[in-house]
Amino acid sequence: MELILASESASRRAMLLAAGVPVTCVGAQVDEGAIRDSLRAEGRRVRDVADALAEAKAVKVSRRHPGALVLGADSMLAFGDRHIDKAESIAAARDQLRALRGQPHSLVSAAVVALDGVPVWRHVGVARLVMRDFSDAFLEEYVAAEGEALLTTVGGYRLEGLGAQLFSAVEGDYFTVLGLPLLAVLGYLRERGVMAA
Ligand SMILES: Nc1nc2c(ncn2[C@@H]2O[C@H](COP(=O)(O)OP(=O)(O)OP(=O)(O)O)[C@@H](O)[C@H]2O)c(=O)[nH]1
């Protein structure tokens, strides 16, 4: 059975391919902002919003690919009562990192698998990260070194890269931080016989 990744995330695609899961990537083109705003207005938790976005992506793409398992995903930061998404500018990313400095936050990555337009599996992974109280000079060097990459990730960091220098502690699943609760996804694919058990 073919697995389709309803995501344009290079990190998610790379994780699955590195784990030996052949995937075809198809962008979902979902209006994430509309879904996010309406659920936030209802006071929904970050994990529920991420789950709903992952479902919307998986279901939309699976309607166009009957018979295929379609994996959708979404990652967001929970910081106090704030829901944090990808920054829209380098200045905003810098401000976001300054706000997160010296504080704990959670990175939530939701995954939903859909088949023929119906969700058939879901999992939400949560990792807890503690950002060290780095200096302003460090922050400027980091922002200059990362540049546009700051806009491609939900926290403005790539843990597997320079982002490692931002943290004093990371608790939970490394893959969840990178954008996918990969171990849970692999477990499901084995259950479905897509991968050898
Ligand atoms: N490489 C890397 N990517 C990260 C890290 N933290 C978060 N991300 C990425 O941040 C992005 C979160 O944005 P999302 O809206 O969930 O996904 P997207 O990249 O817009 O892609 P779609 O699934 O098509 O919506 C994802 O691509 C995650 O893989 C990290 O530490 N390293």
Side-chain angles (χ1 to χ4, degrees), residues 5-12 15 26-29 32 36 53 57 72-77 85-86 107 109 152-161 174 176-180:
L5 175 62
S7 176
E8 291 168 329
S9 164
S11 175
R12 292 185 179 123
M15 274 189 270
V26 176
Q29 267 72 47
E32 297 188 39
R36 195 178 295 133
L53 286 165
K57 297 175 201 178
D74 193 79
S75 300
M76 296 176 77
L77 258 56
D85 304 301
K86 288 184 288 188
L107 196 154
S109 286
T152 63
T153 65
V154 72
Y157 54 78
R158 289 179 292 176
L159 183 63
E160 75 279 17
Y174 170 80
T176 291
V177 177
L178 268 60
L180 204 56

Side-chain angles (χ1 to χ4, degrees), residues 12-124:
R12 292 185 179 123
R13 178 177 182 273
M15 274 189 270
L16 287 164
L17 291 178
V21 182
V23 287
T24 304
C25 297
V26 176
Q29 267 72 47
V30 159
D31 183 351
E32 297 188 39
I35 296 171
R36 195 178 295 133
D37 294 348
S38 69
L39 293 178
R40 274 188 194 162
E42 293 171 20
R44 303 289 294 276
R45 301 174 303 168
V46 169
R47 60 182 297 132
D48 298 326
V49 179
D51 175 71
L53 286 165
E55 177 176 319
K57 297 175 201 178
V59 165
K60 181 171 180 184
V61 172
S62 77
R63 286 194 180 119
R64 297 201 302 259
H65 296 269
L69 282 179
V70 180
L71 171 64
D74 193 79
S75 300
M76 296 176 77
L77 258 56
F79 177 53
D81 59 358
R82 288 177 55 187
H83 299 195
I84 297 179
D85 304 301
K86 288 184 288 188
E88 298 191 350
S89 69
I90 288 180
R94 177 192 287 108
D95 292 345
Q96 185 171 291
L97 288 163
R98 201 177 279 125
L100 293 168
R101 175 166 60 181
Q103 308 274 348
H105 67 268
S106 295
L107 196 154
V108 176
S109 286
V112 172
V113 172
L115 177 61
D116 297 330
V118 177
V120 293
W121 178 84
R122 56 187 358 115
H123 183 88
V124 177

